[in-house]
């Protein structure tokens, strides 16, 4: 058990800086998920905690002990790799026992610990098998078993579920969550899958281009994204963005042409006249009757998912005029997505009248992409 | 190409049979000749069926050797060849697996230079560097010794290269998992890398054992003492005896004996050998 503390952690490969200063405090027993697109540096950060990459600048401490100069084995960590990294020539038992054998744990204790872990992971009957005789899910469990038996202070997971099929992934996700709760071990989990991130994490670290864009609980990240990047990355389908200007009376947003959006739930009076990027989640655009319409969606594609219907299209004003820049002869806004509950009777080619759900506006600064706080 | 034409099957089998006969016939002749008395072979008609002197001939060559060519017993020469071939094979594998490990897994100054230096020695086989090598061996007092027979042939670029290529295919995660598990470089090498290289080692052992076994020029140079003669040299000496008729029945018996160890090595390690060349088990 241990807390992890990162202070100003940076990583450079020659002249290329890939991590630009990360500060995180992770409490004992916390499950932290680092999420971000490929190439954002999340795996590098994890490998720096593991001791597989050197730390160019800054400090990482585990359990109050600065580990910058320590070998992986001295850091009291265990890691689960994406491709499992099981030793192919060793049986499941030997795979799990290898770390303990090196640490010169007594034989009977090794046996007891491996059997305990095998029971926990339902690997009981497979201990004598070789990794190649196991299915993907079983291999993943062995990899986790190898981490568990050493009773480390910290678990590190590097995209452990990416090689599994969709159904197994959901199942293993639940198992990892339960396991972590049962063991109460501090965990650092890297993934690019936002559903994994949302479901597993106590707190999320959303990374982009070597920076932590936001560090918060999954619901806070979802409901109050700090930047347009976070807003667009977390949530599926992604949040829609529209350019607009806050109206002088502070009760609505002018989107160009004859389109305006009003939101009684928000007080925009402090921002009057300011240009903003409006973010709105697909589920917060409601299909309404003709008279209530604020904007319309020129539907171009409909996806029926069963529980929901997704309508993709280009937004236009209430009377069908183009929005924003397009009204001034510039570029038309990109496709936006609307999530309608159930089997909505929407057809491609039609103009769908829409209204904003109240209190669900997200406003961002169009230049910096940062959230405008006082909405 | 997958085709199904009945007559093609016949033709391919015929071709294969011809090939087998071409290879097997000389061996058969050698074996048959080794079972006859000396005079039978000099009569001008080579017999094609085994004679009755099998045990006698083999007892002669293994025990006392040929008096006309120094009388070195074949048993001793085979022992010399075996020691030489085994030292070469084991030495080559040991040295090259260690140097490949260093080159692939450690970052040290001039790493690539070292690799290329090893690699260019491919262009310097024994025959090219035979004089300087002889000079070195003789200065070190290794003439007429097992060390002189095997040490100069042990360095191997081919095997180093083969191991390097294999190590490069071992996933990095495996190395990292071992590091997290607490394995140091030596443990990783012994516990993970060596077992994984098992099939490669076996394949190389077969190739290198035979390489060592058939060495002719080098043993000829460094040995003057008959007790260090190897079997391949021995056969040659038996044929070119002065002032006597070559004892073909005994020469052939020796040749057949000389073939046995390589055959045994190939047969015993065939499974691993094929696996090592074809399969990569990770």
């Amino acid at each position: 058990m241990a807390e992890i503390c990162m202070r100003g952690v940076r990583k450079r490969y020659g002249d290329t800086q890939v991590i630009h200063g990360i500060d995180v405090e992770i409490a004992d027993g916390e499950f932290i998920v680092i999420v971000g697109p490929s190439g954002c540096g999340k795996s590098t950060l994890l490998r720096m905690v593991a001791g597989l990459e050197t730390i160019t600048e800054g400090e990482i401490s585990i359990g109050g002990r600065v580990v910058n100069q320590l070998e992986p084995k001295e850091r009291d960590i265990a890691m689960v790799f994406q491709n499992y990294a099981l030793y192919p020539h060793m049986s499941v038992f030997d795979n799990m026992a290898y770390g303990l054998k090196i640490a010169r744990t007594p034989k009977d204790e090794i046996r007891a610990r491996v059997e305990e872990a095998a029971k926990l992971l339902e690997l009981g009957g497979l201990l004598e098998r070789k990794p190649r005789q196991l299915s993907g899910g079983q291999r993943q469990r062995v990899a986790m078993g190898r981490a568990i038996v050493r009773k480390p202070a910290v678990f590190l997971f590097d995209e452990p579920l990416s090689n599994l099929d969709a159904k197994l992934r959901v199942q293993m996700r639940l198992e990892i969550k339960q396991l972590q709760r049962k063991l109460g071990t501090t965990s650092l989990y890297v993934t690019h899958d936002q559903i994994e991130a949302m479901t597993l994490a106590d707190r999320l670290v959303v990374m982009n281009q070597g920076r932590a864009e936001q560090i918060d609980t999954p619901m806070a990240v979802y409901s109050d994204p700090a930047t347009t990047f976070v807003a667009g990355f977390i949530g599926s389908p992604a949040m829609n963005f529209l350019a607009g200007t806050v109206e002088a009376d502070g009760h609505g947003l002018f989107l160009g042409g004859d389109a305006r959006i009003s939101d009684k739930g928000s007080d925009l009076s402090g921002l009057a006249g300011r240009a903003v990027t409006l973010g709105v989640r697909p589920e917060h655009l409601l299909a309404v009757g003709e008279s209530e319409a604020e904007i319309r969606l020129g539907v171009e594609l409909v996806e029926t998912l069963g529980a929901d219907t997704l309508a993709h299209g280009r937004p236009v004003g209430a009377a069908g005029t183009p929005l924003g820049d397009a009204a001034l002869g510039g570029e038309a806004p990109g496709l936006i997505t609307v999530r309608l509950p159930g089997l909505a009777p929407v057809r491609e080619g039609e103009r769908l009248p829409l209204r904003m759900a109240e209190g669900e506006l997200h406003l961002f600064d169009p230049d910096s992409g940062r959230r405008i706080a006082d909405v | 190409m997958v085709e199904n034409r009945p007559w093609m099957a016949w033709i391919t089998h015929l071709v294969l049979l011809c090939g087998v006969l071409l290879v097997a016939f000389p061996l058969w002749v050698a074996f048959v000749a080794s079972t006859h008395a000396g005079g039978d072979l000099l009569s001008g008609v080579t017999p094609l069926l085994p004679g009755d002197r099998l045990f006698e001939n083999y007892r002669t060559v293994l025990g006392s050797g040929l008096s006309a060519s120094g009388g070195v017993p074949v048993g001793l020469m085979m022992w010399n060849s075996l020691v030489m071939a085994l030292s070469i094979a084991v030495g080559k594998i040991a040295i090259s697996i260690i140097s490949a490990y260093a080159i692939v897994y450690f970052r040290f100054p001039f790493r690539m230079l070292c690799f290329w230096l090893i690699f260019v020695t491919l262009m310097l086989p024994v025959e090219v560097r035979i004089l300087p090598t002889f000079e070195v061996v003789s200065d070190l007092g290794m003439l007429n010794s097992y060390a002189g027979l095997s040490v100069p042939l042990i360095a191997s670029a081919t095997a180093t290269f083969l191991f390097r290529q294999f190590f490069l295919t071992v996933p990095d995660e495996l190395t990292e998992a071992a590091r997290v598990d607490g394995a140091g470089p030596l443990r990783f090498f012994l516990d993970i890398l060596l077992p994984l290289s098992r099939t490669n080692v076996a394949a190389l052992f077969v190739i290198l054992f035979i390489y060592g076994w058939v060495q002719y020029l080098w043993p000829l140079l460094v040995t003057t003492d008959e007790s260090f003669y190897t079997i391949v040299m021995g056969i040659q000496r038996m044929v070119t005896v002065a002032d006597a008729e070559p004892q073909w029945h005994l020469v052939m018996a020796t040749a057949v004996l000389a073939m046995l160890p390589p055959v045994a090595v190939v047969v015993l390690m065939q499974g691993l050998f094929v696996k090592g060349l074809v399969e990569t088990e990770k």
Side-chain angles (χ1 to χ4, degrees), chain A residues 72-85:
Chain A
K73 63 175 172 185
E74 298 162 324
R75 296 188 179 199
D76 203 8
I77 50 145
M79 189 155 168
V80 178
F81 294 87
Q82 179 178 354
N83 65 1
Y84 325 127

Side-chain angles (χ1 to χ4, degrees), chain A residues 195-228:
Chain A
I195 296 177
E196 266 173 45
M198 296 289 284
T199 50
L200 286 172
D202 292 329
R203 277 195 300 154
L204 279 179
V205 177
V206 186
M207 281 188 68
N208 182 34
Q209 297 183 342
R211 289 189 175 81
E213 297 260 339
Q214 188 168 10
I215 304 172
D216 217 329
T217 62
M219 272 334 286
V221 168
Y222 184 78
S223 54
D224 294 307
T227 62
T228 46

Side-chain angles (χ1 to χ4, degrees), chain B residues 82 86 198-199 202-203 205-206 209-210 259-275:
Chain B
L82 190 72
L86 278 178
R198 199 174 47 112
T199 51
F205 181 82
V206 172
F209 180 85
I210 292 170
M259 272 185 288
L260 292 179
V263 169
V265 166
V266 171
V267 169
L268 286 177
M269 304 191 87
Q270 193 184 24
L272 281 171
F273 176 70
V274 174
K275 249 187 175 175

Side-chain angles (χ1 to χ4, degrees), chain B residues 59-95:
Chain B
R59 202 177 305 125
T60 313
V61 291
L62 280 175
S64 55
L66 267 70
S67 49
S69 56
V72 188
V74 171
L76 178 64
M77 291 195 287
M78 287 190 63
W79 171 252
N80 291 342
S81 279
L82 190 72
V83 170
M84 179 182 174
L86 278 178
S87 317
I88 290 177
V90 172
K92 265 181 189 278
I93 288 171
I95 283 201

Side-chain angles (χ1 to χ4, degrees), chain B residues 30-174:
Chain B
F31 173 69
V32 167
S34 72
T35 59
H36 283 273
D40 295 359
L41 299 163
L42 298 169
S43 64
V45 183
T46 310
L48 286 178
L49 288 174
D52 53 359
R53 304 283 297 271
L54 178 80
F55 294 106
E56 221 176 313
N57 288 349
Y58 282 87
R59 202 177 305 125
T60 313
V61 291
L62 280 175
S64 55
L66 267 70
S67 49
S69 56
V72 188
V74 171
L76 178 64
M77 291 195 287
M78 287 190 63
W79 171 252
N80 291 342
S81 279
L82 190 72
V83 170
M84 179 182 174
L86 278 178
S87 317
I88 290 177
V90 172
K92 265 181 189 278
I93 288 171
I95 283 201
S96 51
I97 198 168
I98 292 170
S99 42
Y101 181 53
I103 282 168
V104 174
Y105 285 96
F106 293 87
R107 278 193 213 113
F108 52 90
F110 309 115
R111 188 170 63 112
M112 280 324 276
L113 182 73
C114 289
F115 173 66
W116 284 109
L117 278 179
I118 293 173
F119 200 62
V120 293
T121 60
L122 269 182
M123 284 181 257
L124 300 170
V126 183
E127 291 76 8
V128 176
R129 55 183 166 90
I130 201 150
L131 280 177
T133 308
F134 180 83
E135 174 73 20
V136 170
V137 168
S138 104
D139 286 353
L140 291 175
M142 293 202 295
L143 297 178
N144 288 319
S145 71
Y146 289 131
L149 279 172
S150 51
V151 170
L153 302 180
I154 276 180
S156 170
T158 325
T160 308
F161 190 68
L162 235 93
F163 279 122
R164 173 182 179 263
Q165 293 311 96
F166 171 69
F167 290 166
L168 288 177
T169 66
V170 173
D172 290 342
E173 280 88 348
L174 224 51

Side-chain angles (χ1 to χ4, degrees), chain A residues 47 51-52 71-73 77 79 81 83 85-90 98-99 102 132 146 150, chain B residues 171 173-184 187-188 191-193 195-196 281-282:
Chain A
R47 292 162 56 80
L52 298 170
E71 274 290 300
K73 63 175 172 185
I77 50 145
M79 189 155 168
F81 294 87
N83 65 1
L86 300 177
Y87 310 122
H89 59 291
M90 291 189 194
Y98 187 59
I102 290 179
R132 65 168 173 277
R146 190 165 64 177
R150 296 185 32 220
Chain B
E173 280 88 348
L174 224 51
T175 321
E176 287 165 357
R179 270 182 80 188
V180 171
D181 267 343
R187 297 256 0 193
F188 172 68
D191 289 352
I192 315 283
L193 218 47
L196 286 181
E281 178 198 342
K282 274 178 284 297

